[in-house]
Amino acid sequence: MIKTDKMSNANKPATNALLKQAHNNMPMGVADSYRYWGEENTVFVKSSLGCTITDADDQQFIDFRLAYGPIILGYRDSRVDQEVVAAITERGTISGFSTELDSEVIELIKQMCPNIQKMRFANSGTEAVIGAVRTARGFTGRNKIVVVEGGFHGLYDEMMWKSDVDNWDSETEAAPKIAAFGGGIPEASREHLETVPLNDFTAIDDVFARVGDDIAAIVIEPILGNCGSIASTQEYMQKLRDICDANGTLLIMDEVKTGFRVAKGGAQELYGIHADLTTYAKAMGNGYPVAAFGGRKEVMDVISFGKNGVTHGGTYTANMIALSAAKATLTILNETNAYDSINKAGADIQQVLSRVFTKHGIEHKFAGPDAMFGIHFGNQVPHNYRDWKKTDSALYTEFAHNLINSGIMLEPDSREPWFICESHKDIDLAKLEEIADAAMAKAIADRL
């Protein structure tokens, strides 16, 4: 059993020294803005293994954050790492040319995902989305892209216009304002972006009635990976498929988080509805940086040289480290019972948490699949991002911080799911329940 003990080193001298040094070298003292949790709580990891991480002060955590979802088997999975080492030793890391790994990985993906006929690789989810959107525009000759509130499609200008639900006054405003997600984003980048609420049939009909002749694609996470795993209804996904078919618009499913995590065929396997283009990353390589986008042959074949061809490339695209990791990870997921272990662990953990919440009289609902479930404090599963605003997210944040202080790592924001990997099958559920019970008791007491 993997057990967790209460953090024993609250002063964190090594972490404090590292953060002080880092402030001299990086804005906010971190390499990624989301890694800055304040001067008291920013984490520096020294090692990771299975489903645990150990910080610079030797405090160990059971990790349900999993680097925002890439870890599907476990940190430092030897089956994957050995294949990467072999690839480096035998092939090198990068050549700027093609290798047999390119087609081997895609053919493996095609076995798992019948929505894929042709693919191209990328290095991150952001790059994959850029490639898919550009391809959709090239294929249709249109400009506009429809996105769904609460979805996250990468950190590039066009996709960084968001519904500002945090600052939305639902009593006085009909809808949240659309705002840039930070500075440095020009207003012009919003020109061709349309935003609609999830599961809202009227809104999707309205946007197609207004600008349908210029809509190149709808881009959607069928299960919102940055909004507590709030899911599209079956009827809504069918609505999108039907309206795209009727309008000559492409349906792009962003499966950067759900792909190879929630099922072999991702969310599309769960819904039984296929996209024209799909983006993948994260769990595809069990933590190695690899991504891809692909779909229908006739759509992907607009990627070509020439005046009207869509351009796609990248120096590090399809490097041997990334593809050997993807091949090993996908082979394990495709040929073993890893998904059974992952889903059982996720279901067992939800049962533990539900007992704790019920004991303390907290109304709660779980959303999404067992491999990446969201927790919402309230009496109903949110139907969309606006409904999330009605949940008791402040209580969740207090509960999450208490868990972290006791050795359970997660993102202290209910918009981030709990990610489960194969290694979670070995955690001590009784100890988790004890820690969660104390964490919720403290969160409630601190409100009084």
Side-chain angles (χ1 to χ4, degrees), residues 1-179:
M1 288 287 187
I2 298 172
K3 297 186 179 182
T4 298
D5 297 316
K6 186 176 177 61
M7 291 171 64
S8 59
N9 193 352
N11 293 324
K12 300 184 288 187
T15 294
N16 293 337
L18 287 170
L19 183 57
K20 182 178 180 181
Q21 177 189 28
H23 274 303
N24 292 324
N25 300 311
M26 293 173 283
M28 301 166 67
V30 289
D32 174 331
S33 296
Y34 297 103
R35 299 174 194 176
Y36 182 73
W37 286 11
E39 293 301 294
E40 301 299 322
N41 297 312
T42 295
V43 178
F44 283 77
V45 174
K46 180 161 66 175
S47 66
S48 56
L49 182 65
C51 64
T52 66
I53 58 173
T54 302
D55 75 4
D57 291 283
D58 294 319
Q59 298 173 130
Q60 188 178 86
F61 303 83
I62 292 180
D63 186 15
F64 292 103
R65 192 169 172 267
L66 298 181
Y68 291 114
I71 306 301
I72 188 68
L73 302 173
Y75 290 109
R76 289 164 52 194
D77 186 280
S78 61
R79 297 165 294 180
V80 178
D81 292 349
Q82 286 169 6
E83 291 299 318
V84 173
V85 170
I88 294 171
T89 302
E90 297 168 12
R91 304 170 184 267
T93 60
I94 188 171
S95 69
F97 291 103
S98 299
T99 73
E100 69 268 27
L101 277 172
D102 301 5
S103 284
E104 288 175 358
V105 172
I106 294 173
E107 286 172 1
L108 182 54
I109 291 171
K110 288 165 71 172
Q111 290 178 31
M112 302 169 75
C113 305
N115 51 295
I116 299 299
Q117 293 178 328
K118 285 193 174 182
M119 294 195 85
R120 277 290 181 93
F121 293 106
N123 299 293
S124 68
T126 294
E127 285 188 20
V129 172
I130 291 172
V133 168
R134 184 182 299 153
T135 299
R137 284 175 165 148
F139 181 78
T140 62
R142 300 174 181 177
N143 298 303
K144 293 194 179 297
I145 303 296
V146 178
V147 297
V148 172
E149 287 180 350
F152 181 84
H153 305 295
L155 292 171
Y156 75 97
D157 289 357
E158 183 174 36
M159 291 298 184
M160 291 181 71
W161 291 95
K162 306 289 185 183
S163 293
D164 190 9
V165 170
D166 280 319
N167 297 307
W168 174 48
D169 185 345
S170 59
E171 299 297 324
T172 61
E173 297 177 297
K177 293 182 174 64
I178 304 298

Side-chain angles (χ1 to χ4, degrees), residues 185-198:
I185 302 170
E187 179 71 29
S189 63
R190 180 185 169 185
E191 178 183 0
H192 297 303
L193 195 70
E194 300 285 338
T195 305
V196 296
L198 180 68

